[in-house]
Amino acid sequence: MQRLLSTVETLAALTLLLIALLTASNVAIRYALGWQIPDWFDGTQMLLGIAMFWGIALATWYGTHIAVDLLWESAGARGKRVIDVFATLVTVLFLVPMAWMVWVKVGGTGSQGTMDLRLPLKWFYSAAALGATVAAVLAVARLVLLPMGRAASAHGEADGEGAVHGP
């Protein structure tokens, strides 16, 4: 599992790095030479979609989505676990159909390509769909492990009280 999480983290980080490098390079080239990198804008948009889906996978596994903890903070250990399980169930009910629909979108791209270089959109959409699928799988795994108190926390270990909502 740690190898999968490490791969997901690396992919998300690399796509963000590529976005930054592509944007900075385009600005420098446009300023210095007066032209721009072909498809830099389409490329950054596609890479951002990929980074978002892979980032959702990580946030789901670690339970680090943005949350309002008013009720959770005042609950006991058992109440926290119940809230975490319910929240993860809602997340699963959202991510599984979303992953399915992203794959449907991949199947419907046909021969569409980027504006300048005509790079097939299917490549980018497939990478994003794979990230959405990993997010759904990690959400289901978290849902299975949460009732046993064995889900991951943002710090890499299960919380002592069995509630793993946040740091």
Side-chain angles (χ1 to χ4, degrees):
M1 179 60 82
Q2 195 57 38
R3 182 177 290 164
L4 172 65
L5 294 172
S6 178
T7 301
V8 171
E9 290 170 352
T10 301
L11 287 171
L14 284 176
T15 54
L16 289 175
L17 176 65
L18 285 173
I19 291 168
L21 290 174
L22 190 55
T23 303
S25 299
N26 186 62
V27 169
I29 289 171
R30 187 174 58 215
Y31 179 75
L33 304 175
W35 63 275
Q36 58 185 0
I37 298 173
D39 278 337
W40 79 271
F41 186 72
D42 288 342
T44 56
Q45 284 183 322
M46 295 296 130
L47 289 170
L48 182 59
I50 294 168
M52 285 175 45
F53 280 117
W54 288 95
I56 288 170
L58 290 171
T60 299
W61 175 253
Y62 291 124
T64 53
H65 291 288
I66 297 171
V68 177
D69 296 340
L70 298 174
L71 180 61
W72 191 86
E73 287 292 332
S74 62
R78 187 168 189 266
K80 288 178 180 179
R81 185 174 295 147
V82 168
I83 292 169
D84 287 342
V85 168
F86 177 73
T88 304
L89 176 63
V90 170
T91 303
V92 166
L93 292 174
F94 170 75
L95 288 178
V96 169
M98 184 187 71
W100 174 262
M101 291 310 297
V102 175
W103 281 111
V104 168
K105 178 69 174 171
V106 169
T109 57
S111 62
Q112 294 177 22
T114 58
M115 288 295 285
D116 299 329
L117 299 176
R118 302 300 299 158
L119 297 173
L121 293 182
K122 190 172 275 193
W123 298 347
F124 297 104
Y125 286 5
S126 295
L130 186 58
T133 303
V134 170
V137 168
L138 288 177
V140 170
R142 181 175 170 80
L143 184 62
V144 169
L145 294 175
L146 263 173
M148 298 180 273
R150 294 180 28 209
S153 73
H155 303 294
E157 71 277 341
D159 190 16
E161 293 181 338
V164 290
H165 176 68

